[in-house]
Amino acid sequence: MERTLWNHIQSIKKQSPLIHNITNYVVMNNTANALLAVGASPVMAHAKSEIKDMVNIADAVLINIGTLDEYWVESMLITAKTAHTLNTPWVLDPVGAGATPYRDDILQKLLQYRPTVIRGNASEILALAEFNTTTTKGVDSTVLSNDAVQAALDLVNKYGTVICISGATDIILNSSRQTYFVKNGHSMMTKVTGMGCTASALIAAFIAVIEDKTAATMAAMALLGIAGELSERQSTGPGSLQTNILDKLYAISETEFNGQLNVLKG
Amino acid sequence: MERTLWNHIQSIKKQSPLIHNITNYVVMNNTANALLAVGASPVMAHAKSEIKDMVNIADAVLINIGTLDEYWVESMLITAKTAHTLNTPWVLDPVGAGATPYRDDILQKLLQYRPTVIRGNASEILALAEFNTTTTKGVDSTVLSNDAVQAALDLVNKYGTVICISGATDIILNSSRQTYFVKNGHSMMTKVTGMGCTASALIAAFIAVIEDKTAATMAAMALLGIAGELSERQSTGPGSLQTNILDKLYAISETEFNGQLNVLKG
Amino acid sequence: MERTLWNHIQSIKKQSPLIHNITNYVVMNNTANALLAVGASPVMAHAKSEIKDMVNIADAVLINIGTLDEYWVESMLITAKTAHTLNTPWVLDPVGAGATPYRDDILQKLLQYRPTVIRGNASEILALAEFNTTTTKGVDSTVLSNDAVQAALDLVNKYGTVICISGATDIILNSSRQTYFVKNGHSMMTKVTGMGCTASALIAAFIAVIEDKTAATMAAMALLGIAGELSERQSTGPGSLQTNILDKLYAISETEFNGQLNVLKG
């Protein structure tokens, strides 16, 4: 598996896929930089007057609802519908699912366009599956990832999507009833805003060039987790960690990647 | 006072308050990271369809008018009104007060909902109190902080708010007629965008968990100022200073904090 | 020429011009920090209710269409018209020209207000001149800069603007039929989002204080390129490069600048 995942990382650099992002204001700079660092080409656009044209030229799409409003929601729905129609792979990042009824309503509408991959923390995945067993505290998870596995399986069955429940261990599930665990990452990453959003953007880059969407998701999560682990050793806090992760995403070697890789099949 | 202020800093880490931010596009990433670094939980949301729900779950609220427009102003007014009704503490950052009539008009409307704390530079405080004695140059102060003290006292008397006039020396005033001076900070901080905005966000975090709003404001201003002073020693310019301040907010020790603390009662 | 360009850099620090920016969400933080680092005063505002007032107090204006939408386009048009009427120098950054018909339509409208300087990559300049000989891939150039020279000359003739075609070598043309080549910069800069946007903002700062708009454009491009070259030596990837460039823009010495300067007259 090491060889395959590393090859996937190289594929991005070779093919430089164009990733169209509708994402939140907080993380746009860091998301664009992370995509550039791994070799992808980011575009950020949201105007209703051009959004279809942008999706048309994109190799994959990310929709992150973090700072949604009524206008952006219209753009998100056009984007999801267009991606679905064109068979362009797309990632849904359900930031803050469960925090407000509005978010949950919009998410149900977006799900109709069958995201290729959904990445969220355990709280968000539970809310997305309309499990009423948790309370979201902001955008952080207050339940353990494995509590959300049943919710994820429901979503997989209903929408045929790949799900990544991110947390200390990331759990990846698909409609072939496979489960993978990615144990890479470092706890200080939770003190950098938008690490989850970055993960979702990287997944979009990987599903743009890799046919196997489960392996693509694993590669993205492992790459970011390993970049975080290695970077933390050179960081004195979350500020330098944010910077160092970009450097490591750009410069990571095969030896570094495979030396840290900690992925298990369930 | 050292012991009290340090304990306040520890309270944020223990209680991890949820801070709802309506702030400007320029500083959102850095603001979220600063809140995470001190141990708070940031949320950024502005949709009229959910803003009341967000304020409902927040422990404190920040309203920063930096990149306001007609839609965001409606959200700001709903947010301020909701916070006022729920008795949720909130901070007003009147970015660019005095620069345009539109800003001044909106600020007068926001004041009706009686912010718990207002933090601005001297120009902004003067404009907010409708003193016509200065001209704002962009978002930087062109008058000395102490010239704004009379304006601040007017605001304190009228709205019962705590005021922080930030500058080389921060001046904090309250309705008990107390005045405090925070002399921490470094001039290079003025070359990093959004340091004032970060200060306001940190005040929101402190007033979320500390009953004494004046002490909370002092703790926030002293913490950021000290983080700036200590970080500047390891920085080669404003780029590394921005990064290092996040690291220091995260990792500052009691010895470092108390060794630098420079707060006086007026 | 070294002496003149260095003097121009010093002029910004002395005069601290107020630069009004309508720019994209992705780069706002970095743009504001770059302007502060060179000694300018940035303002970011876009509300139709105040945009004329903001242009009124600005020494120069930047319009960058990166994340345009219907509302922002109205603000951009008011801003361009106001700057044109007031004879305030302004820079147009046609991000993603050629990517969608909407962008191209808006750009033609903006051109009517005769930008003082236009900076774009070769693809964008070709699209702006309505040359149908290229396809834009996202916001990156897919044609060589010198292929765009004829397109730039058409724009110069039609609008009397200074044009900077940025790339490995930046090509600067004006209506006096002069051509300059700025060969500074480093390829890793293409892995940092918004370096082109930063260049355009710095041009706005220079044209605010320098009468000769061609020399002002050269000074801005050379400064950013040299800051990039020098910073790359101390960077381990694009994350640290972004940070180090801000430090170098702030702290660059005359010896460093002139030692690297690589500008030719065509």
Side-chain angles (χ1 to χ4, degrees):
Chain A
M1 191 187 293
E2 286 90 343
R3 176 61 69 92
T4 309
L5 293 182
W6 180 253
N7 285 344
H8 289 344
I9 293 168
Q10 297 313 107
S11 298
I12 313 261
K13 290 193 201 292
K14 275 176 214 142
Q15 299 182 46
S16 189
L18 186 66
I19 309 304
H20 179 246
N21 298 267
I22 294 202
T23 190
N24 70 71
Y25 300 123
V26 186
V27 305
M28 281 189 189
N29 186 268
N30 209 52
T31 296
N33 275 327
L35 286 169
L36 285 169
V38 301
S41 251
V43 167
M44 314 250 159
H46 65 284
K48 285 188 273 181
S49 302
E50 68 169 4
I51 196 76
K52 273 192 198 176
D53 296 322
M54 281 297 187
V55 179
N56 247 306
I57 59 172
D59 297 306
V61 169
L62 167 71
I63 298 179
N64 171 311
I65 68 161
T67 53
L68 86 180
D69 64 26
E70 298 76 11
Y71 180 96
W72 283 70
V73 161
E74 286 185 66
S75 297
M76 288 173 192
L77 291 169
I78 297 168
T79 299
K81 186 179 182 178
T82 308
H84 183 62
T85 305
L86 295 172
N87 218 15
T88 302
W90 72 282
V91 177
L92 175 63
D93 189 330
V95 179
T100 69
Y102 180 57
R103 270 166 209 256
D104 293 347
D105 176 46
I106 300 309
L107 286 168
Q108 293 307 314
K109 287 179 180 147
L110 285 167
L111 283 173
Q112 303 309 310
Y113 300 112
R114 295 176 175 267
T116 314
V117 183
I118 300 169
R119 189 219 56 83
N121 63 33
S123 283
E124 291 162 347
I125 298 299
L126 282 160
L128 201 60
E130 306 187 279
F131 274 55
N132 292 311
T133 57
T134 183
T135 50
T136 293
K137 186 183 178 195
V139 293
D140 298 319
S141 185
T142 53
V143 290
L144 290 171
S145 290
N146 46 11
D147 292 348
V149 167
Q150 189 55 49
L153 288 173
D154 283 10
L155 290 166
V156 167
N157 290 336
K158 199 159 169 192
Y159 299 106
T161 182
V162 173
I163 305 260
C164 174
I165 310 165
S166 61
T169 295
D170 307 316
I171 306 172
I172 297 165
L173 306 103
N174 65 22
S175 57
S176 307
R177 301 186 164 276
Q178 295 169 315
T179 309
Y180 294 90
F181 301 96
V182 180
K183 291 172 175 285
N184 291 107
H186 189 281
S187 63
M188 199 199 276
M189 295 170 80
T190 63
K191 296 298 179 186
V192 180
T193 195
M195 278 290 110
C197 305
T198 300
S200 297
L202 293 184
I203 293 171
F206 280 85
I207 63 174
V209 299
I210 295 158
E211 201 48 51
D212 177 345
K213 305 313 182 193
T214 308
T217 303
M218 258 192 293
M221 298 307 292
L223 176 58
L224 184 59
I226 290 169
E229 286 172 25
L230 294 171
S231 298
E232 188 275 337
R233 297 176 191 171
Q234 294 157 333
S235 301
T236 52
S240 48
L241 183 60
Q242 175 168 290
T243 301
N244 290 334
I245 284 174
L246 292 173
D247 283 3
K248 193 53 82 183
L249 287 175
Y250 174 78
I252 194 167
S253 71
E254 184 170 3
T255 308
E256 285 178 311
F257 181 78
N258 287 334
Q260 294 298 118
L261 187 67
N262 191 352
V263 175
L264 297 175
K265 199 168 186 313
Chain B
M1 190 189 292
E2 287 90 345
R3 177 60 70 93
T4 308
L5 293 182
W6 180 252
N7 285 345
H8 290 343
I9 293 168
Q10 297 314 106
S11 299
I12 312 261
K13 290 191 201 295
K14 275 178 215 139
Q15 299 182 45
S16 189
L18 186 66
I19 309 305
H20 180 245
N21 298 268
I22 294 202
T23 189
N24 70 72
Y25 300 125
V26 185
V27 304
M28 283 189 187
N29 186 267
N30 209 54
T31 297
N33 275 327
L35 286 169
L36 285 169
V38 301
S41 252
V43 168
M44 313 252 160
H46 65 285
K48 285 187 273 180
S49 302
E50 69 170 2
I51 196 76
K52 272 192 200 177
D53 296 322
M54 281 297 186
V55 178
N56 247 308
I57 58 173
D59 297 307
V61 168
L62 167 71
I63 299 180
N64 171 311
I65 68 161
T67 53
L68 87 180
D69 64 28
E70 298 76 10
Y71 180 97
W72 283 71
V73 162
E74 285 185 66
S75 298
M76 288 173 191
L77 291 169
I78 297 169
T79 299
K81 186 179 183 176
T82 308
H84 182 62
T85 305
L86 295 173
N87 219 12
T88 302
W90 74 282
V91 177
L92 175 63
D93 188 329
V95 179
T100 69
Y102 181 56
R103 270 167 209 256
D104 292 347
D105 176 48
I106 300 310
L107 286 168
Q108 293 307 316
K109 288 180 180 146
L110 285 166
L111 283 173
Q112 303 310 310
Y113 300 112
R114 296 177 175 265
T116 315
V117 183
I118 301 169
R119 189 219 55 84
N121 63 34
S123 282
E124 290 162 348
I125 297 299
L126 282 160
L128 202 61
E130 305 186 280
F131 273 56
N132 291 311
T133 57
T134 184
T135 51
T136 292
K137 187 182 177 195
V139 293
D140 299 318
S141 185
T142 54
V143 289
L144 290 172
S145 289
N146 45 12
D147 292 348
V149 166
Q150 189 54 51
L153 288 173
D154 283 10
L155 291 166
V156 167
N157 289 336
K158 198 160 170 192
Y159 300 106
T161 182
V162 173
I163 306 259
C164 174
I165 310 166
S166 60
T169 295
D170 306 317
I171 306 172
I172 297 165
L173 306 102
N174 64 22
S175 57
S176 307
R177 300 186 167 276
Q178 295 169 316
T179 309
Y180 295 91
F181 301 95
V182 179
K183 292 172 174 284
N184 290 108
H186 189 281
S187 63
M188 200 198 276
M189 296 170 81
T190 63
K191 296 297 178 186
V192 179
T193 194
M195 278 291 110
C197 306
T198 300
S200 297
L202 294 185
I203 293 171
F206 279 86
I207 63 174
V209 300
I210 295 157
E211 202 48 51
D212 178 343
K213 305 313 180 194
T214 308
T217 303
M218 259 192 292
M221 297 307 292
L223 175 59
L224 184 60
I226 290 169
E229 287 172 30
L230 294 171
S231 297
E232 188 274 338
R233 298 175 191 171
Q234 293 157 332
S235 302
T236 52
S240 49
L241 182 60
Q242 175 168 292
T243 301
N244 290 334
I245 284 175
L246 292 173
D247 283 3
K248 192 54 80 183
L249 287 174
Y250 175 77
I252 194 167
S253 71
E254 184 170 4
T255 308
E256 285 179 309
F257 180 78
N258 287 334
Q260 295 297 119
L261 188 66
N262 191 352
V263 175
L264 297 175
K265 201 169 184 314
Chain C
M1 191 188 292
E2 287 88 346
R3 176 60 70 93
T4 308
L5 293 181
W6 180 251
N7 284 346
H8 290 344
I9 293 168
Q10 297 313 106
S11 299
I12 312 262
K13 290 192 201 293
K14 275 177 217 143
Q15 299 182 44
S16 190
L18 186 66
I19 309 304
H20 179 246
N21 298 267
I22 294 203
T23 190
N24 70 73
Y25 300 124
V26 185
V27 304
M28 282 188 188
N29 186 268
N30 209 55
T31 296
N33 276 327
L35 286 169
L36 285 169
V38 301
S41 251
V43 167
M44 313 250 161
H46 65 284
K48 285 187 274 179
S49 302
E50 69 170 1
I51 197 76
K52 273 193 200 176
D53 296 321
M54 281 297 187
V55 178
N56 247 309
I57 58 173
D59 296 307
V61 169
L62 167 71
I63 299 180
N64 171 312
I65 68 161
T67 54
L68 86 182
D69 65 25
E70 297 76 12
Y71 180 96
W72 283 70
V73 161
E74 286 186 66
S75 299
M76 289 173 192
L77 291 169
I78 296 168
T79 300
K81 187 179 183 177
T82 308
H84 182 62
T85 305
L86 295 172
N87 219 13
T88 302
W90 73 282
V91 177
L92 175 63
D93 189 330
V95 179
T100 69
Y102 181 56
R103 269 166 208 254
D104 292 347
D105 176 47
I106 300 311
L107 287 168
Q108 294 307 316
K109 287 179 181 147
L110 285 167
L111 283 173
Q112 303 310 309
Y113 300 112
R114 295 178 176 263
T116 314
V117 184
I118 301 170
R119 189 219 56 83
N121 63 34
S123 283
E124 291 162 349
I125 297 299
L126 282 160
L128 201 61
E130 306 187 279
F131 274 56
N132 291 311
T133 57
T134 185
T135 51
T136 293
K137 187 184 178 194
V139 293
D140 298 319
S141 185
T142 54
V143 290
L144 291 172
S145 290
N146 46 12
D147 292 349
V149 168
Q150 188 55 51
L153 289 173
D154 282 11
L155 291 165
V156 167
N157 290 336
K158 199 161 170 190
Y159 300 105
T161 180
V162 173
I163 306 260
C164 174
I165 309 165
S166 60
T169 295
D170 306 318
I171 306 172
I172 297 166
L173 307 102
N174 65 21
S175 57
S176 307
R177 301 186 166 276
Q178 295 170 316
T179 308
Y180 294 92
F181 301 94
V182 180
K183 291 171 175 287
N184 290 108
H186 189 281
S187 63
M188 199 198 276
M189 296 170 80
T190 63
K191 296 298 179 187
V192 179
T193 196
M195 278 291 110
C197 306
T198 300
S200 296
L202 294 185
I203 292 171
F206 280 84
I207 63 173
V209 299
I210 295 157
E211 201 48 50
D212 177 345
K213 305 312 180 193
T214 307
T217 303
M218 258 192 293
M221 297 308 291
L223 175 59
L224 184 59
I226 290 169
E229 286 171 25
L230 295 171
S231 298
E232 188 275 337
R233 298 176 191 170
Q234 293 158 333
S235 301
T236 52
S240 48
L241 182 60
Q242 175 168 291
T243 302
N244 290 334
I245 284 175
L246 292 173
D247 284 3
K248 192 53 79 182
L249 287 175
Y250 175 77
I252 194 166
S253 70
E254 185 171 2
T255 308
E256 285 179 310
F257 181 79
N258 287 334
Q260 294 298 119
L261 187 66
N262 191 352
V263 175
L264 298 175
K265 199 168 185 314

